[in-house]
Amino acid sequence: MFKENFVVAIDGPAGAGKSTIAKLVARKLVFAYIDTGAMYRSVTWKFLRTKAEFNENFIGELANKIRIDFRTEENKVFVDGTDVTEAIRTTAVTNLVSRISAINTVRIAMVAEQRRMGESGRVVLDGRDIGTVVFPNADVKIFLTATVEERALRRYKEMTEKGMAVSLKQLQEAILNRDKQDSEREISPLRQAKDAVFLDTSNMCIDETTDFIINLVRGKEHDLRRS
Ligand code: C5P
């Protein structure tokens, strides 16, 4: 018998490939997948649409009222009924999201929702604080990273393949800037949980990384069944 609740937490810096890997791991294991970064991006998108001045109380209220809907089969994210899958990946959102995610009330609302979604099943979550704060008792924890050069290069290839004009140097700067804000914030900063497996994927391909995590999950399930 499989354990009914099984949480896989994948944390790490920007552009480490967390969502690509988490999605594949979830698909192969038939787990649900929750992209927690998409939730902070959704709040940011919603705030940008208001065109209001940056105000923590106001943004906190937006976060409390937002309805984020992951339609996994379609690979889409909806906010209050609007498809925001593409809109939450724009540079405007990416450049602001770390400021939004540092707001305490925003984090309280998002973490509550992540726990609610994750508590009731077999799930993979990726983010910055999953193994440290959201699910400190997660069954498997991974800290996924790669050198900043490699992360920027991957993003560069992804964007140029879509026909977008981007500068590698600017991408690297944006990644470093986001990592700095995410690691230095007061509440739930990005850091590796003590019991997380550190995985540097600079020289690993997607399949190798995915298989490595799947083997960890299977090993853990095997141990749990024996105990
Ligand atoms: O993972 P992604 O790059 O989409 O995350 C966007 C931003 O959301 C991060 O830079 C970070 O500021 C925030 N985030 C967070 N906690 C999480 C997931 C994302 O603060 N669990």
Side-chain angles (χ1 to χ4, degrees):
M1 265 301 281
F2 285 124
K3 188 168 169 270
E4 263 175 48
N5 289 348
F6 194 107
V7 174
V8 181
I10 304 180
D11 289 305
K18 297 184 299 296
S19 53
T20 305
I21 300 296
K23 218 179 275 176
L24 285 168
V25 168
R27 193 180 300 155
K28 287 198 180 168
L29 291 170
V30 199
F31 278 35
Y33 165 55
I34 300 166
D35 176 352
T36 67
M39 298 173 72
Y40 293 98
R41 286 174 180 272
S42 294
V43 176
T44 307
W45 174 84
K46 189 168 173 168
F47 166 65
L48 281 171
R49 283 240 304 195
T50 66
K51 299 202 166 30
E53 295 268 305
F54 191 95
N55 174 296
E56 295 200 355
N57 292 337
F58 174 65
I59 300 168
E61 277 170 32
L62 289 183
N64 274 309
K65 280 190 258 162
I66 199 169
R67 200 163 41 80
I68 303 169
D69 180 15
F70 287 108
R71 300 199 188 160
T72 318
E73 319 75 54
E74 299 166 60
N75 235 330
K76 286 191 181 322
V77 188
F78 282 73
V79 167
D80 304 329
T82 303
D83 181 355
V84 297
T85 317
E86 301 284 327
I88 60 171
R89 305 280 156 201
T90 58
T91 311
V93 169
T94 303
N95 287 345
L96 186 66
V97 64
S98 291
R99 267 184 88 195
I100 302 276
S101 72
I103 301 171
N104 197 21
T105 44
V106 171
R107 297 207 75 82
I108 290 171
M110 294 301 112
V111 169
E113 187 59 13
Q114 289 154 19
R115 288 191 181 136
R116 193 192 60 74
M117 292 192 282
E119 252 157 21
S120 55
R122 296 158 68 76
V123 64
V124 181
L125 298 102
D126 80 315
R128 304 292 187 289
D129 60 341
I130 310 302
T132 51
V133 174
V134 184
F135 285 107
N137 297 321
D139 299 279
V140 169
K141 296 184 188 178
I142 314 285
F143 193 82
L144 197 76
T145 190
T147 60
V148 67
E149 291 79 11
E150 180 61 27
R151 290 186 277 136
L153 192 61
R154 287 177 190 169
R155 196 51 47 103
Y156 178 79
K157 284 184 187 158
E158 196 181 298
M159 293 175 89
T160 46
E161 269 164 26
K162 285 185 191 158
M164 297 161 92
V166 278
S167 130
L168 183 60
K169 189 163 168 279
Q170 274 172 8
L171 280 178
Q172 192 165 318
E173 277 165 11
I175 285 177
L176 280 173
N177 187 28
R178 202 139 62 90
D179 285 352
K180 185 170 155 55
Q181 291 186 66
D182 292 342
S183 316
E184 291 180 357
R185 70 175 174 229
E186 248 170 72
I187 322 145
S188 312
L190 164 69
R191 62 179 172 79
Q192 183 182 344
K194 283 196 189 75
D195 50 350
V197 175
F198 179 84
L199 198 55
D200 184 335
T201 67
S202 304
N203 296 307
M204 285 171 85
C205 70
I206 292 175
D207 282 349
E208 274 176 300
T209 312
T210 310
D211 289 347
F212 181 90
I213 298 174
I214 287 175
N215 285 335
L216 279 182
V217 173
R218 294 203 168 125
K220 180 70 190 244
E221 289 218 292
H222 184 253
D223 292 348
L224 286 169
R225 259 179 281 152
R226 277 161 40 124
S227 61

